[in-house]
C-alpha cells in the first residue's frame, strides 16, 4: 500500500448546470445547482485514498461551514487531516463551475485560505512527508509551500509528483525537485510553448521538460488518453470510451489513482496508467467532484467487463 502525502487545495465547489456556455454579456438560466467538497488537492487525495493509498493532507481551510465540510468529507474518506490548518482570518477556498450538457466545464476559483498555506505549515508536516512514497502537489496553493515540501521529500528519498494546474510560470527550483510532472495538453503547451498534436510534439515536450530538470512526464489528452515518457521509454495509452456527463474531477481522479498504484521507481508506469485511465473514465460518468471519484473495488470491477 502506497503512502501518499498531498500538499494542496481545498475548495467548496458550486456547480451550475447549463445548456451551453454563455456568450460575453449574456445571461442564461441554470438548469440545476449543487454544492460539494472539491479543490484539486482534495480531489487527488480522495482518489488516492479510495484506491487504497494511506493518505495524508497538508493544506488550509477557513474557520467556517465550508472548512468544516471539507474536513468532514476528508475524514470520511480515511484521510489524515492533522496537517490541515484552520485559518480564522480567511475563508475556505471555493470554486464556481459552469457545466454544459456535453459534460464540458468552465471553472472560476477563489483561493481563500489555500493561498495562506505557508512554508511553516509544510515544515510542521515534515514527518508525514518523510515517510511517504509520493508527495503530490498542484498550483492552487503557493509555490513556496510546494518547494519546501519537495525539498523535504527529496532529502528523504521520496518521489515527487507535480500537477502544474492551473498553468502559470513555475519556479525553476520546483521543477528541479520534481520527479514526475503531469500536465494536460493545454498546460504542457503553456509551459513549453510546444503545441500537442502528435507523438513527435509529445516527445519534443518531454525533451523540453527534461531540460528544465524533470525527466519523467505524463501528458493527459482528455478523452484520447495519456502519453508518458520516462528514462526507460515512452508510449501512448488510449482512454476508455465512455459517455461523459461531468469532466470536473477527471484529471485529479487520474493523478490520485495513479499515485496509489505507481511504484516509486516508475517501473510499472503502463499498468498504473491503465488503472488511472479506468478510474478517470468512471469519474466522468457521474456528477460532482468528490462524489464521482470511484473506489478501488469499482475500478477493478469495471476492469473485468
Amino acid at each position: 500500500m502506497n503512502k501518499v502525502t498531498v500538499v494542496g487545495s481545498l475548495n467548496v465547489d458550486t456547480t451550475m448546470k447549463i445548456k451551453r456556455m454563455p456568450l460575453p454579456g449574456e445571461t442564461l438560466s441554470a438548469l440545476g445547482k449543487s454544492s460539494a467538497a472539491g479543490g484539486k488537492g482534495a480531489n487527488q487525495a480522495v482518489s488516492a485514498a479510495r484506491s487504497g493509498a494511506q493518505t495524508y493532507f497538508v493544506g488550509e481551510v477557513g474557520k467556517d461551514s465550508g472548512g468544516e465540510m471539507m474536513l468532514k468529507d476528508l475524514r470520511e474518506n480515511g484521510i489524515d487531516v492533522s496537517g490541515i490548518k484552520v485559518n480564522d482570518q480567511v475563508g475556505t477556498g471555493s470554486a464556481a463551475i459552469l457545466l454544459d450538457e456535453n459534460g464540458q466545464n468552465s471553472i472560476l476559483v477563489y483561493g481563500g485560505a489555500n493561498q495562506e498555506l505557508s512554508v511553516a505549515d509544510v515544515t510542521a508536516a515534515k514527518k508525514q512527508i518523510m515517510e511517504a512514497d509520493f508527495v503530490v502537489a498542484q498550483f492552487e496553493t503557493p509555490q513556496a509551500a510546494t518547494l519546501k515540501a519537495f525539498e523535504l521529500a527529496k532529502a528523504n528519498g521520496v518521489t515527487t509528483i507535480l500537477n502544474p494546474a492551473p498553468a502559470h510560470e513555475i519556479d525553476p527550483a520546483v521543477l528541479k525537485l520534481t520527479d514526475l510532472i503531469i500536465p494536460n495538453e493545454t498546460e504542457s503547451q503553456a509551459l513549453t510553448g510546444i503545441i500537442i498534436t502528435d507523438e513527435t510534439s509529445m516527445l519534443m515536450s518531454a525533451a523540453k521538460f527534461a531540460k528544465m530538470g524533470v525527466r519523467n512526464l505524463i501528458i493527459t489528452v482528455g478523452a484520447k488518453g495519456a502519453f508518458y515518457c520516462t528514462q526507460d521509454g515512452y508510449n501512448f495509452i488510449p482512454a476508455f470510451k465512455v459517455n461523459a456527463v461531468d469532466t470536473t474531477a477527471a484529471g485529479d481522479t487520474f493523478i490520485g489513482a495513479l499515485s496509489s498504484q505507481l511504484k516509486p521507481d516508475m517501473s510499472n508506469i503502463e499498468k498504473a496508467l491503465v488503472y488511472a485511465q479506468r478510474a478517470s473514465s468512471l469519474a466522468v460518468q457521474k456528477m460532482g467532484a468528490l462524489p464521482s471519484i470511484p473506489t478501488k473495488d469499482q475500478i477493478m470491477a469495471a476492469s473485468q467487463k
Side-chain angles (χ1 to χ4, degrees):
M1 179 172 63
N2 279 352
K3 292 182 179 180
V4 178
T5 294
V6 176
V7 179
S9 57
L10 300 149
N11 291 332
V12 176
D13 291 346
T14 298
T15 301
M16 306 282 280
K17 291 185 72 176
I18 53 178
K19 189 171 181 63
R20 59 171 175 80
M21 293 297 166
L23 299 171
E26 183 182 21
T27 299
L28 294 179
S29 294
L31 305 176
K33 176 185 174 183
S34 62
S35 291
K40 298 192 72 62
N43 296 340
Q44 291 170 16
V46 167
S47 179
R50 289 184 184 171
S51 277
Q54 186 176 328
T55 310
Y56 184 89
F57 203 98
V58 182
E60 196 159 319
V61 293
K63 192 174 183 179
D64 50 31
S65 59
E68 290 172 3
M69 183 178 87
M70 294 303 308
L71 293 171
K72 177 176 175 286
D73 279 20
L74 294 188
R75 286 193 190 101
E76 288 177 350
N77 280 279
I79 296 168
D80 185 332
V81 300
S82 59
I84 298 177
K85 179 180 176 182
V86 178
N87 189 320
D88 60 4
Q89 301 295 315
V90 182
T92 300
S94 61
I97 302 167
L98 296 179
L99 176 68
D100 72 17
E101 61 183 7
N102 297 314
Q104 294 303 308
N105 60 55
S106 293
I107 305 174
L108 294 171
V109 176
Y110 163 67
N114 293 311
Q115 293 304 312
E116 302 301 313
L117 186 66
S118 68
V119 169
D121 296 332
V122 173
T123 303
K126 181 178 180 180
K127 182 175 184 290
Q128 287 76 14
I129 291 172
M130 290 168 54
E131 294 177 352
D133 295 300
F134 294 97
V135 170
V136 181
Q138 330 77 38
F139 282 162
E140 289 182 342
T141 50
Q143 285 194 44
T146 299
L147 177 60
K148 185 61 179 179
F150 280 15
E151 285 174 348
L152 291 170
K154 297 312 300 171
N156 291 277
V158 178
T159 302
T160 56
I161 297 176
L162 179 64
N163 173 216
H168 52 71
E169 191 172 338
I170 307 179
D171 182 345
V174 171
L175 286 173
K176 288 172 183 173
L177 295 170
T178 299
D179 292 310
L180 171 63
I181 192 166
I182 310 179
N184 62 25
E185 74 268 38
T186 304
E187 292 151 1
S188 180
Q189 180 185 338
L191 296 169
T192 66
I194 299 168
I195 300 172
I196 300 300
T197 54
D198 54 15
E199 187 176 278
T200 299
S201 60
M202 292 176 182
L203 285 169
M204 289 170 61
S205 299
K208 189 76 174 280
F209 278 116
K211 282 186 178 179
M212 298 179 196
V214 189
R215 291 181 285 183
N216 302 290
L217 166 71
I218 294 173
I219 302 175
T220 57
V221 195
K224 295 178 183 177
F227 169 84
Y228 79 86
C229 184
T230 70
Q231 296 167 80
D232 296 323
Y234 65 89
N235 200 0
F236 189 87
I237 309 297
F240 296 96
K241 301 301 180 186
V242 298
N243 293 318
V245 297
D246 184 359
T247 58
T248 303
D252 296 332
T253 298
F254 176 93
I255 290 168
L258 182 86
S259 70
S260 77
Q261 305 298 309
L262 189 64
K263 293 180 180 178
D265 64 1
M266 300 184 209
S267 59
N268 69 332
I269 192 165
E270 282 212 8
K271 186 176 180 180
L273 262 172
V274 171
Y275 179 92
Q277 293 272 45
R278 179 68 78 182
S280 186
S281 75
L282 291 174
V284 299
Q285 295 180 69
K286 295 172 98 176
M287 284 292 298
L290 259 60
S292 72
I293 298 170
T295 63
K296 186 171 186 177
D297 286 348
Q298 290 170 330
I299 297 165
M300 297 309 290
S303 301
Q304 304 302 319
K305 293 179 181 179

